[in-house]
Amino acid sequence: MNKVVKDADEAIHDIADGMTLMIGGFGMCGLPEKCIAALVKKGVKELTCISNNAGLDDFGIGLMLNQRQVKKMISSYVGENVEFERQLLSGELEVELIPQGTLATRCMAAGYGMPAIFTPAGIGTEVAIGKEVRNFNGKDYLMEMAFDADFAIVKAWKGDTMGNLIFNATARNFNAVMAMAGKVTIAEVEELVQPGELDPNFIHVPGIYVHRIFQGENYEKRIENRTVTKR
Amino acid sequence: MLDKNGIAKRIAREIKDGYYVNLGIGIPTLVANYIPENIDVVLQSENGLLGMGPFPFEGDEDPDLINAGKQTITMLPGAAIFDSAMSFGMIRAKKVNLTILGAMEVSENGDIANWKIPGKMVKGMGGAMDLVASAENIIVAMQHVNKAGESKLLPQCTLPLTGISCVKKIVTELAVLDVLPEGGFKLLERAPGVSVEEIKKATAGKLIIEGDIPEMTI
């Protein structure tokens, strides 16, 4: 059950044009920055990216947008990226904006083997257009389908060679749910350890969901909004 | 008239002991600064944290620890971390007692628009649609009129909706108002130095005024 690959290049070697990728992280927090850099280097195109945000102009998925590698983004909030907005308004980029909880739960459904979920989010709004509405106990819910992604790419704090993952603080965010949702899941970790070194009681994602794992070096871990209290 | 901090201060008085509270981006974030010290409140950040604390001291910022506005934060003792699906699970299951968020428009039947201006700004709804669809107690913090001087309290929203029939209370720089279940903005309090006439002029939707309207105390 050794899932270890050498590096990001090897981990993403078979990601091809036109595929659908889940990319973990919330803003810059918990971003799989090594795999994104490898995807930029590889230059695969026509990608559909499922990710809560679309990166900054010079970091994260923004780097892939700059190279026109992304055909479609499925996200909940994209307000931090000028190039993204330009491509969207000019029609070069297709964008599906969906509620953040819907995004997370459609990932969860994929990882839990459920074809669809029902959520009240978006009822009465343009998000509901064309979707099945069901009424349960007097309240309307939208049926939202589980995602179907070729690859899920996530970043964890620690992982072992069997693919068991532990996340740090709020870098867990979408990483934990997306890790469970890809047909193939790639995990990049800050620290790769041997089986037995992680306490089984504190595993966030069991290795059964993870297909490839590697340790990344020199994480930049950019901070988007540095807010501090005066001492 | 209230400034942004004044609006936040007034809203903080709506927070009760034992509440789990979700604060949106903008004025709602400021509410955290004015929560009375004698009550026990836990702040939920929808990126996966209960027990959000103040901004860290300079040098203590942790890139792995942010709030929904992507600001560096801290955790208080007793904090808990979870993933995004569980975060919205607890919101959908109505475990969060109070949601405070900003808005571009609110209609007299409680519809809210706060995510999209067609052809102009494209940001997305983030977690707002999930929050307004599930929360039972929603307070909107916003300016009474927009930059063009037009009322944001309307008979019907003109912008794409975030949710329908969900806003219960609005606090603006001019007033505190309830959104009645049968429709209409019921004026509860005036901001210091603001007259009922001024509030009438700034409210395009149905405004309900009963008796003397007290000036708010902060």
Side-chain angles (χ1 to χ4, degrees), chain A residues 43-83:
Chain A
V44 275
K45 289 195 161 54
E46 299 286 305
L47 299 172
T48 295
C49 291
I50 302 166
S51 190
N52 189 53
N53 312 95
L56 303 178
D57 281 305
D58 61 344
F59 202 64
I61 295 173
L63 299 171
M64 294 162 68
L65 289 166
N66 291 345
Q67 291 204 61
R68 307 280 201 286
Q69 291 177 269
V70 183
K71 179 185 68 178
K72 180 176 181 181
M73 281 298 313
I74 302 176
S75 303
S76 87
Y77 192 84
V78 294
E80 341 277 4
N81 189 328
V82 176
E83 174 62 13

Short mmCIF file of all heavy atoms in Angstrom, two decimals, chain A residues 43-83:
data_model
loop_
_atom_site.label_atom_id
_atom_site.label_comp_id
_atom_site.label_asym_id
_atom_site.label_seq_id
_atom_site.Cartn_x
_atom_site.Cartn_y
_atom_site.Cartn_z
N GLY A 43 1.57 22.47 -18.64
CA GLY A 43 0.83 23.21 -19.66
C GLY A 43 -0.45 22.55 -20.15
O GLY A 43 -0.95 22.89 -21.22
N VAL A 44 -1.01 21.61 -19.37
CA VAL A 44 -2.28 20.99 -19.79
C VAL A 44 -3.35 22.07 -19.90
O VAL A 44 -3.36 23.03 -19.14
CB VAL A 44 -2.76 19.90 -18.80
CG1 VAL A 44 -2.12 18.58 -19.11
CG2 VAL A 44 -2.55 20.32 -17.36
N LYS A 45 -4.26 21.84 -20.86
CA LYS A 45 -5.24 22.89 -21.18
C LYS A 45 -6.67 22.37 -21.10
O LYS A 45 -6.91 21.20 -20.86
CB LYS A 45 -4.95 23.42 -22.58
CG LYS A 45 -3.67 24.25 -22.64
CD LYS A 45 -3.58 25.06 -23.92
CE LYS A 45 -2.59 26.21 -23.77
NZ LYS A 45 -1.26 25.80 -23.32
N GLU A 46 -7.60 23.30 -21.32
CA GLU A 46 -9.03 22.97 -21.38
C GLU A 46 -9.50 22.29 -20.09
O GLU A 46 -10.37 21.42 -20.12
CB GLU A 46 -9.33 22.04 -22.57
CG GLU A 46 -9.00 22.63 -23.93
CD GLU A 46 -9.99 23.70 -24.35
OE1 GLU A 46 -11.20 23.40 -24.38
OE2 GLU A 46 -9.55 24.84 -24.61
N LEU A 47 -8.93 22.68 -18.98
CA LEU A 47 -9.27 22.04 -17.72
C LEU A 47 -10.56 22.63 -17.13
O LEU A 47 -10.84 23.81 -17.31
CB LEU A 47 -8.14 22.23 -16.70
CG LEU A 47 -6.78 21.65 -17.07
CD1 LEU A 47 -5.73 22.09 -16.06
CD2 LEU A 47 -6.85 20.12 -17.16
N THR A 48 -11.31 21.78 -16.45
CA THR A 48 -12.38 22.27 -15.59
C THR A 48 -11.87 22.16 -14.17
O THR A 48 -11.46 21.08 -13.74
CB THR A 48 -13.66 21.42 -15.77
OG1 THR A 48 -14.14 21.60 -17.10
CG2 THR A 48 -14.74 21.83 -14.78
N CYS A 49 -11.84 23.27 -13.44
CA CYS A 49 -11.32 23.28 -12.07
C CYS A 49 -12.44 23.54 -11.08
O CYS A 49 -13.14 24.55 -11.18
CB CYS A 49 -10.25 24.34 -11.91
SG CYS A 49 -8.74 23.95 -12.81
N ILE A 50 -12.58 22.61 -10.15
CA ILE A 50 -13.52 22.79 -9.04
C ILE A 50 -12.69 23.24 -7.85
O ILE A 50 -11.86 22.48 -7.34
CB ILE A 50 -14.24 21.47 -8.72
CG1 ILE A 50 -14.98 20.94 -9.95
CG2 ILE A 50 -15.19 21.65 -7.53
CD1 ILE A 50 -15.44 19.48 -9.81
N SER A 51 -12.86 24.48 -7.44
CA SER A 51 -12.07 25.00 -6.33
C SER A 51 -12.82 26.18 -5.74
O SER A 51 -13.43 26.95 -6.47
CB SER A 51 -10.69 25.44 -6.83
OG SER A 51 -9.84 25.73 -5.75
N ASN A 52 -12.79 26.33 -4.42
CA ASN A 52 -13.60 27.37 -3.81
C ASN A 52 -13.30 28.75 -4.38
O ASN A 52 -14.18 29.56 -4.57
CB ASN A 52 -13.40 27.38 -2.29
CG ASN A 52 -14.38 28.29 -1.60
OD1 ASN A 52 -15.58 28.17 -1.80
ND2 ASN A 52 -13.89 29.23 -0.81
N ASN A 53 -12.02 29.00 -4.65
CA ASN A 53 -11.61 30.31 -5.16
C ASN A 53 -10.77 30.12 -6.43
O ASN A 53 -10.40 29.01 -6.77
CB ASN A 53 -10.80 31.06 -4.11
CG ASN A 53 -11.48 31.05 -2.76
OD1 ASN A 53 -11.18 30.21 -1.92
ND2 ASN A 53 -12.43 31.93 -2.57
N ALA A 54 -10.47 31.23 -7.08
CA ALA A 54 -9.76 31.14 -8.35
C ALA A 54 -8.34 31.68 -8.25
O ALA A 54 -7.71 31.97 -9.26
CB ALA A 54 -10.54 31.88 -9.43
N GLY A 55 -7.83 31.81 -7.06
CA GLY A 55 -6.45 32.23 -6.89
C GLY A 55 -6.26 33.73 -7.00
O GLY A 55 -7.21 34.48 -7.23
N LEU A 56 -5.02 34.14 -6.80
CA LEU A 56 -4.65 35.55 -7.00
C LEU A 56 -4.04 35.67 -8.38
O LEU A 56 -3.77 34.67 -9.05
CB LEU A 56 -3.64 35.97 -5.93
CG LEU A 56 -4.08 35.79 -4.48
CD1 LEU A 56 -2.96 36.21 -3.54
CD2 LEU A 56 -5.34 36.58 -4.19
N ASP A 57 -3.78 36.90 -8.82
CA ASP A 57 -3.21 37.08 -10.16
C ASP A 57 -1.85 36.41 -10.29
O ASP A 57 -1.48 35.97 -11.37
CB ASP A 57 -3.10 38.57 -10.48
CG ASP A 57 -4.45 39.13 -10.90
OD1 ASP A 57 -5.05 38.58 -11.84
OD2 ASP A 57 -4.92 40.09 -10.28
N ASP A 58 -1.12 36.32 -9.18
CA ASP A 58 0.24 35.76 -9.29
C ASP A 58 0.45 34.56 -8.37
O ASP A 58 1.58 34.21 -8.04
CB ASP A 58 1.28 36.85 -8.97
CG ASP A 58 1.12 37.38 -7.56
OD1 ASP A 58 0.05 37.14 -6.94
OD2 ASP A 58 2.05 38.02 -7.06
N PHE A 59 -0.63 33.92 -7.94
CA PHE A 59 -0.46 32.75 -7.08
C PHE A 59 -1.69 31.86 -7.17
O PHE A 59 -2.79 32.33 -7.43
CB PHE A 59 -0.23 33.19 -5.63
CG PHE A 59 0.45 32.15 -4.79
CD1 PHE A 59 1.75 31.76 -5.08
CD2 PHE A 59 -0.19 31.56 -3.70
CE1 PHE A 59 2.39 30.80 -4.32
CE2 PHE A 59 0.45 30.60 -2.92
CZ PHE A 59 1.74 30.23 -3.23
N GLY A 60 -1.47 30.57 -6.96
CA GLY A 60 -2.58 29.62 -6.97
C GLY A 60 -3.10 29.41 -8.38
O GLY A 60 -2.35 29.48 -9.37
N ILE A 61 -4.41 29.17 -8.49
CA ILE A 61 -5.02 28.87 -9.78
C ILE A 61 -4.86 30.05 -10.75
O ILE A 61 -4.90 29.87 -11.97
CB ILE A 61 -6.50 28.45 -9.58
CG1 ILE A 61 -6.53 27.14 -8.79
CG2 ILE A 61 -7.23 28.29 -10.90
CD1 ILE A 61 -7.91 26.70 -8.36
N GLY A 62 -4.66 31.25 -10.21
CA GLY A 62 -4.40 32.42 -11.05
C GLY A 62 -3.26 32.17 -12.03
O GLY A 62 -3.29 32.65 -13.18
N LEU A 63 -2.27 31.40 -11.62
CA LEU A 63 -1.13 31.10 -12.50
C LEU A 63 -1.57 30.27 -13.70
O LEU A 63 -1.06 30.43 -14.81
CB LEU A 63 -0.04 30.34 -11.71
CG LEU A 63 0.57 31.10 -10.53
CD1 LEU A 63 1.46 30.17 -9.71
CD2 LEU A 63 1.35 32.31 -11.00
N MET A 64 -2.54 29.37 -13.46
CA MET A 64 -3.07 28.56 -14.57
C MET A 64 -3.98 29.39 -15.47
O MET A 64 -4.01 29.19 -16.69
CB MET A 64 -3.83 27.35 -14.01
CG MET A 64 -2.93 26.36 -13.27
SD MET A 64 -3.85 25.24 -12.20
CE MET A 64 -4.72 24.27 -13.42
N LEU A 65 -4.71 30.32 -14.87
CA LEU A 65 -5.57 31.21 -15.66
C LEU A 65 -4.73 32.09 -16.58
O LEU A 65 -5.09 32.30 -17.74
CB LEU A 65 -6.41 32.09 -14.74
CG LEU A 65 -7.53 31.40 -13.96
CD1 LEU A 65 -8.03 32.30 -12.85
CD2 LEU A 65 -8.68 31.01 -14.88
N ASN A 66 -3.61 32.57 -16.06
CA ASN A 66 -2.75 33.44 -16.86
C ASN A 66 -2.29 32.74 -18.14
O ASN A 66 -2.06 33.39 -19.16
CB ASN A 66 -1.52 33.87 -16.06
CG ASN A 66 -1.90 34.82 -14.93
OD1 ASN A 66 -3.00 35.37 -14.92
ND2 ASN A 66 -1.00 35.01 -13.98
N GLN A 67 -2.14 31.42 -18.08
CA GLN A 67 -1.69 30.65 -19.25
C GLN A 67 -2.86 30.07 -20.04
O GLN A 67 -2.66 29.20 -20.89
CB GLN A 67 -0.81 29.49 -18.79
CG GLN A 67 0.53 29.92 -18.25
CD GLN A 67 1.52 28.79 -18.37
OE1 GLN A 67 1.83 28.33 -19.46
NE2 GLN A 67 2.03 28.33 -17.25
N ARG A 68 -4.07 30.51 -19.72
CA ARG A 68 -5.29 30.03 -20.42
C ARG A 68 -5.39 28.50 -20.37
O ARG A 68 -5.76 27.86 -21.35
CB ARG A 68 -5.27 30.45 -21.90
CG ARG A 68 -5.07 31.92 -22.14
CD ARG A 68 -6.38 32.69 -21.94
NE ARG A 68 -6.36 33.97 -22.60
CZ ARG A 68 -5.67 35.02 -22.17
NH1 ARG A 68 -4.94 34.92 -21.08
NH2 ARG A 68 -5.72 36.15 -22.84
N GLN A 69 -5.08 27.92 -19.23
CA GLN A 69 -5.18 26.46 -19.10
C GLN A 69 -6.55 26.02 -18.64
O GLN A 69 -6.87 24.84 -18.68
CB GLN A 69 -4.14 25.96 -18.08
CG GLN A 69 -2.71 26.09 -18.54
CD GLN A 69 -1.73 25.64 -17.46
OE1 GLN A 69 -1.28 26.43 -16.64
NE2 GLN A 69 -1.42 24.35 -17.44
N VAL A 70 -7.34 26.99 -18.17
CA VAL A 70 -8.62 26.65 -17.57
C VAL A 70 -9.76 27.05 -18.51
O VAL A 70 -9.85 28.19 -18.93
CB VAL A 70 -8.80 27.37 -16.21
CG1 VAL A 70 -10.11 26.95 -15.55
CG2 VAL A 70 -7.61 27.07 -15.30
N LYS A 71 -10.60 26.06 -18.82
CA LYS A 71 -11.76 26.31 -19.67
C LYS A 71 -12.94 26.74 -18.81
O LYS A 71 -13.71 27.62 -19.17
CB LYS A 71 -12.11 25.02 -20.43
CG LYS A 71 -13.33 25.13 -21.34
CD LYS A 71 -13.68 23.78 -21.95
CE LYS A 71 -14.19 22.82 -20.88
NZ LYS A 71 -14.59 21.51 -21.40
N LYS A 72 -13.04 26.09 -17.64
CA LYS A 72 -14.20 26.36 -16.79
C LYS A 72 -13.79 26.29 -15.32
O LYS A 72 -13.07 25.39 -14.92
CB LYS A 72 -15.29 25.32 -17.06
CG LYS A 72 -16.54 25.51 -16.23
CD LYS A 72 -17.62 24.51 -16.61
CE LYS A 72 -18.88 24.74 -15.78
NZ LYS A 72 -19.94 23.78 -16.09
N MET A 73 -14.29 27.26 -14.55
CA MET A 73 -14.09 27.25 -13.09
C MET A 73 -15.43 27.00 -12.43
O MET A 73 -16.45 27.58 -12.80
CB MET A 73 -13.60 28.62 -12.58
CG MET A 73 -12.15 28.98 -12.75
SD MET A 73 -10.95 27.93 -11.90
CE MET A 73 -11.63 27.78 -10.25
N ILE A 74 -15.42 26.14 -11.42
CA ILE A 74 -16.60 25.95 -10.58
C ILE A 74 -16.18 26.38 -9.17
O ILE A 74 -15.33 25.71 -8.55
CB ILE A 74 -17.09 24.49 -10.62
CG1 ILE A 74 -17.41 24.10 -12.06
CG2 ILE A 74 -18.28 24.29 -9.69
CD1 ILE A 74 -17.80 22.64 -12.24
N SER A 75 -16.69 27.49 -8.70
CA SER A 75 -16.20 28.13 -7.47
C SER A 75 -17.34 28.79 -6.74
O SER A 75 -18.44 28.95 -7.27
CB SER A 75 -15.16 29.21 -7.81
OG SER A 75 -14.09 28.69 -8.56
N SER A 76 -17.06 29.25 -5.51
CA SER A 76 -18.09 30.01 -4.78
C SER A 76 -17.74 31.48 -4.67
O SER A 76 -18.62 32.33 -4.56
CB SER A 76 -18.31 29.42 -3.37
OG SER A 76 -17.42 29.96 -2.42
N TYR A 77 -16.44 31.80 -4.68
CA TYR A 77 -16.06 33.20 -4.49
C TYR A 77 -14.76 33.48 -5.22
O TYR A 77 -13.76 32.80 -5.01
CB TYR A 77 -15.91 33.52 -3.00
CG TYR A 77 -15.80 35.00 -2.74
CD1 TYR A 77 -16.95 35.78 -2.62
CD2 TYR A 77 -14.57 35.63 -2.62
CE1 TYR A 77 -16.87 37.15 -2.40
CE2 TYR A 77 -14.48 36.99 -2.39
CZ TYR A 77 -15.63 37.75 -2.29
OH TYR A 77 -15.55 39.09 -2.06
N VAL A 78 -14.79 34.48 -6.08
CA VAL A 78 -13.67 34.67 -7.00
C VAL A 78 -13.20 36.12 -7.04
O VAL A 78 -12.59 36.55 -7.99
CB VAL A 78 -14.08 34.22 -8.41
CG1 VAL A 78 -14.32 32.73 -8.44
CG2 VAL A 78 -15.34 34.95 -8.87
N GLY A 79 -13.48 36.85 -5.99
CA GLY A 79 -13.30 38.29 -6.06
C GLY A 79 -11.88 38.83 -5.99
O GLY A 79 -11.69 40.03 -5.95
N GLU A 80 -10.88 37.97 -5.95
CA GLU A 80 -9.53 38.45 -5.66
C GLU A 80 -8.61 38.47 -6.88
O GLU A 80 -7.41 38.59 -6.74
CB GLU A 80 -8.87 37.58 -4.57
CG GLU A 80 -9.80 36.74 -3.73
CD GLU A 80 -10.39 37.53 -2.59
OE1 GLU A 80 -10.13 38.74 -2.51
OE2 GLU A 80 -11.13 36.94 -1.78
N ASN A 81 -9.16 38.33 -8.07
CA ASN A 81 -8.31 38.07 -9.21
C ASN A 81 -8.76 38.87 -10.43
O ASN A 81 -9.80 38.61 -11.02
CB ASN A 81 -8.38 36.56 -9.51
CG ASN A 81 -7.38 36.14 -10.55
OD1 ASN A 81 -7.06 36.89 -11.44
ND2 ASN A 81 -6.91 34.91 -10.42
N VAL A 82 -7.97 39.86 -10.80
CA VAL A 82 -8.31 40.76 -11.90
C VAL A 82 -8.37 40.02 -13.24
O VAL A 82 -9.28 40.21 -14.04
CB VAL A 82 -7.29 41.92 -11.98
CG1 VAL A 82 -7.60 42.82 -13.19
CG2 VAL A 82 -7.33 42.75 -10.70
N GLU A 83 -7.39 39.14 -13.48
CA GLU A 83 -7.34 38.40 -14.74
C GLU A 83 -8.54 37.46 -14.87
O GLU A 83 -9.11 37.31 -15.95
CB GLU A 83 -6.01 37.62 -14.84
CG GLU A 83 -5.89 36.70 -16.04
CD GLU A 83 -5.93 37.41 -17.39
OE1 GLU A 83 -5.81 38.64 -17.42
OE2 GLU A 83 -6.10 36.72 -18.42
#
